[in-house]
Amino acid sequence: MAKPSKKLAEEPGIGHNSQVSGTRIKSFVGKIERLEEQKHSIGLDIKDVYTEAKSAGFDAPTIRKLVSERKKSAEKRQEQYSLFELYSAAIGMA
Amino acid sequence: MAKPSKKLAEEPGIGHNSQVSGTRIKSFVGKIERLEEQKHSIGLDIKDVYTEAKSAGFDAPTIRKLVSERKKSAEKRQEQYSLFELYSAAIGMA
Amino acid sequence: MAKPSKKLAEEPGIGHNSQVSGTRIKSFVGKIERLEEQKHSIGLDIKDVYTEAKSAGFDAPTIRKLVSERKKSAEKRQEQYSLFELYSAAIGMA
Amino acid sequence: MAKPSKKLAEEPGIGHNSQVSGTRIKSFVGKIERLEEQKHSIGLDIKDVYTEAKSAGFDAPTIRKLVSERKKSAEKRQEQYSLFELYSAAIGMA
DNA sequence: TGCATATTACACACCC
DNA sequence: GGGTGTGTAATATGCA
C-alpha cells in the first residue's frame, strides 16, 4: 500500500515534489475521501441510536452526557466537579 | 437492531421512564460507544494516510486543503439544485 | 445581483413579489449583515473575557459552565441533574 | 477593566486559585452575562428584520440564503490568498 | 495556535 | 395556528 511503484519512480521524493505526480495525489485523496465517507456514515448511525433511544422514552442529551462522562477518566471527572463546586461556592451559588 | 424487544416491555414508555431500565440504557450506551470507537479508528486511518503522503514527499496540509475544497465543490454543486428550487418557490413557481 | 430595477412599483406587497425590488432586498440584507457583524464582534469580546479569566488563573470551561448553569432555571437544572443521576444509577455508575 | 485590583492580591495566581476569589469570578461572570445579553438582543433584532422583510412580501428563507451565500463568497475570496500562499509554500516558493 | 470534533441552539416544515 | 421533529449552522472543547 505504501510503495506500489513498479516502473520508474514517478516522484523523486526530493524536497517538495516539484514534479508532482497527479496519479499519486489522486490515490491519496481517494483513500481519504472513502474513509471520510465511512466516518460520516458512522456518525449517522450514532445519530440513529440517539433517535432510537428517544423513541424509547429516554432523554437523548442525558444519554449523551453519560457517554461523555464514561469517556473521561474518573480523576478528571472528579477534578472538574470539584472545581465547579469551588467556583460556585465562591460566588454564592447553591 | 431497531426492535429487539422479545418479551414484555421493560419500560412503560410513559413520561421519562420513571422506572429506568438500566439494561436498556446500557444497550444504547454500548452501541454508541462501539460506534464511536469505530469512528475514532477511522479517524486514525485517515491520519495514517496523511502520514503516508508526507513520507512520499507530499505536503499534508495541502492535501488536506485539496480534500476540503473538493468537498465544498461537491456541496456547492448539490446545492445548486435546491437553491434553484428555493428561489423558484420564492417567486411563486411550482 | 438579480435586477436592481429603478422605476415601476418597487414592491406590490402582493403574493411573493414577482417583480422584486432589488433596492428593498439590499436594504434588508444590509441591515442583517450589519447586525450579524455586531453579534460576531460581541462574540469576540466574550472570548476575550474568558481569555482574561484564564490569564488570571481561572479555568475557563468551569466559568463557562457556571454561566450556563445560571442561565438555566433552577428547576430545569435540578431536573437534568436528577435525570443524570437516575440513569447513572441504572447502569451502575458511581 | 482588566485590572480592578485596589488593595492586595486576592488570589495569588498560583495553580488553580486554591483560595478562590468570589469577587473576581463574579466580575467575570457578570461581564460575560452582560455581553451575552447584548448578543442575544441583537439576535432578536435580526429576527425582527426577517419578520419585517416577510411583512413586505419577501420570503425569509431566501433572504437568509442570500445573506449566507454572500458570507461564503466573502470567505472564499479571503481564502484565495491563503490558498495561494499554501500552494506556493508547498512547491517550495518563498 | 489552528484544526477537527462534539454539543448546542435555531429555523424551517409538517402535522395536529 | 401552535407544537414537534428534523436538519442545519454556530459555538466550544480537545488535540496535535
Side-chain angles (χ1 to χ4, degrees):
Chain A
M1 213 179 198
K3 297 182 75 186
S5 52
K6 194 188 294 184
K7 294 182 169 189
L8 63 90
E10 288 191 26
E11 73 286 329
I14 306 165
H16 272 131
N17 271 298
S18 298
Q19 296 111 277
V20 175
S21 159
T23 307
R24 199 73 193 281
I25 294 182
K26 274 183 195 165
S27 164
F28 286 127
V29 169
K31 277 188 204 168
I32 292 164
E33 285 177 341
R34 266 188 297 281
L35 288 169
E36 292 208 333
E37 193 183 328
Q38 290 176 37
K39 190 151 155 268
H40 179 71
S41 172
I42 292 177
L44 296 180
D45 290 347
I46 292 173
K47 185 169 290 191
D48 282 349
V49 178
Y50 281 113
T51 302
E52 199 186 333
K54 191 180 171 188
S55 299
F58 295 98
D59 182 68
T62 302
I63 303 263
R64 198 176 288 276
K65 193 176 184 77
L66 218 53
V67 171
S68 164
E69 293 294 310
R70 277 168 60 94
K71 194 156 42 184
K72 289 180 204 161
S73 71
E75 308 93 59
K76 196 104 191 170
R77 181 163 56 242
Q78 188 58 32
E79 185 186 340
Q80 281 186 201
Y81 179 71
S82 306
L83 213 49
F84 179 73
E85 290 269 301
L86 184 64
Y87 288 6
S88 299
I91 66 169
M93 263 181 82
Chain B
M1 213 176 196
K3 296 185 77 188
S5 53
K6 193 191 292 186
K7 293 184 168 189
L8 63 91
E10 289 190 28
E11 73 287 328
I14 305 164
H16 267 155
N17 274 298
S18 299
Q19 295 110 277
V20 173
S21 160
T23 306
R24 199 73 192 280
I25 293 180
K26 272 184 195 164
S27 164
F28 286 126
V29 169
K31 277 187 204 168
I32 291 163
E33 285 177 340
R34 264 187 299 282
L35 288 168
E36 291 206 335
E37 195 183 327
Q38 291 176 36
K39 187 151 160 268
H40 180 71
S41 172
I42 292 176
L44 295 180
D45 290 347
I46 292 172
K47 187 168 292 190
D48 282 349
V49 178
Y50 281 114
T51 301
E52 198 186 333
K54 191 179 171 187
S55 300
F58 295 99
D59 182 67
T62 303
I63 303 262
R64 199 177 288 277
K65 201 80 191 177
L66 220 53
V67 172
S68 163
E69 292 295 314
R70 277 170 59 94
K71 186 160 59 183
K72 279 190 206 161
S73 297
E75 286 168 357
K76 200 100 194 169
R77 226 171 301 123
Q78 193 161 18
E79 191 181 22
Q80 300 303 346
Y81 180 65
S82 54
L83 197 59
F84 176 74
E85 289 226 320
L86 181 66
Y87 289 176
S88 299
I91 62 171
M93 275 182 66
Chain C
M1 209 184 204
K3 287 189 102 190
S5 50
K6 199 187 297 181
K7 290 187 161 194
L8 74 89
E10 289 196 17
E11 72 286 332
I14 306 162
H16 273 128
N17 272 298
S18 299
Q19 296 109 277
V20 174
S21 160
T23 307
R24 199 72 192 283
I25 293 181
K26 274 183 194 165
S27 163
F28 285 126
V29 169
K31 277 189 204 169
I32 291 164
E33 285 177 340
R34 265 188 298 281
L35 288 169
E36 292 207 332
E37 194 184 327
Q38 291 176 37
K39 187 153 159 266
H40 180 71
S41 173
I42 293 176
L44 296 180
D45 290 347
I46 292 172
K47 185 169 291 190
D48 282 349
V49 178
Y50 281 113
T51 301
E52 200 186 333
K54 191 181 173 187
S55 299
F58 295 98
D59 181 69
T62 302
I63 303 264
R64 199 176 289 277
K65 192 177 184 77
L66 218 54
V67 171
S68 164
E69 292 294 311
R70 278 168 59 93
K71 191 155 48 184
K72 289 180 204 162
S73 69
E75 310 91 60
K76 198 101 191 172
R77 180 164 56 242
Q78 188 56 34
E79 184 186 339
Q80 281 185 200
Y81 179 69
S82 306
L83 213 50
F84 179 73
E85 290 270 300
L86 185 64
Y87 289 7
S88 300
I91 66 169
M93 263 182 83
Chain D
M1 215 178 196
K3 297 182 76 187
S5 52
K6 194 189 294 182
K7 291 184 169 191
L8 63 90
E10 290 190 28
E11 73 285 331
I14 306 164
H16 266 156
N17 274 297
S18 299
Q19 298 109 275
V20 173
S21 161
T23 307
R24 199 72 192 282
I25 293 181
K26 273 183 195 166
S27 163
F28 286 127
V29 169
K31 277 187 204 169
I32 291 163
E33 285 177 340
R34 266 189 297 282
L35 288 168
E36 292 207 333
E37 193 184 329
Q38 290 176 37
K39 188 152 159 269
H40 180 72
S41 172
I42 292 177
L44 296 179
D45 290 347
I46 292 172
K47 187 169 289 190
D48 282 349
V49 178
Y50 280 113
T51 302
E52 198 186 333
K54 191 180 173 188
S55 299
F58 295 98
D59 182 65
T62 303
I63 303 264
R64 197 176 291 276
K65 200 83 189 172
L66 221 52
V67 172
S68 164
E69 291 295 315
R70 278 169 59 93
K71 187 160 58 183
K72 277 188 208 162
S73 298
E75 286 168 355
K76 199 101 192 168
R77 225 170 301 124
Q78 194 162 18
E79 192 180 21
Q80 301 303 345
Y81 181 65
S82 54
L83 198 59
F84 176 74
E85 289 225 319
L86 181 67
Y87 289 174
S88 299
I91 62 172
M93 275 181 66

